[in-house]
Amino acid sequence: MFPYSLGVIIEELAENVIYIVALIYLWQFRLTDFESRLANKPDFDVTRNK
């Protein structure tokens, strides 16, 4: 139905869109915010004796 070359182009464009979204996410990611949110979580360590 579609030529093979068109399928390859669409696949490569979709792959590039995924990479761009991941790059933007990583660019906006703030490690200090993540660490502060992680530090505020309660400790759910079930191996610790009470």
Side-chain angles (χ1 to χ4, degrees):
M1 185 168 167
F2 295 108
Y4 177 78
S5 59
L6 181 62
V8 171
I9 291 171
I10 290 172
E11 181 207 356
E12 293 298 325
L13 286 173
E15 190 175 328
N16 285 334
V17 167
I18 291 171
Y19 289 146
I20 290 169
V21 169
L23 178 64
I24 291 170
Y25 175 78
L26 289 174
W27 189 18
Q28 297 295 321
F29 185 75
R30 302 284 186 256
L31 187 59
T32 54
D33 292 343
F34 178 77
E35 288 175 342
S36 67
R37 289 181 190 158
L38 190 62
N40 291 334
K41 282 192 167 189
D43 186 18
F44 292 115
D45 188 10
V46 294
T47 60
R48 184 177 51 180
N49 292 331
K50 293 182 179 182

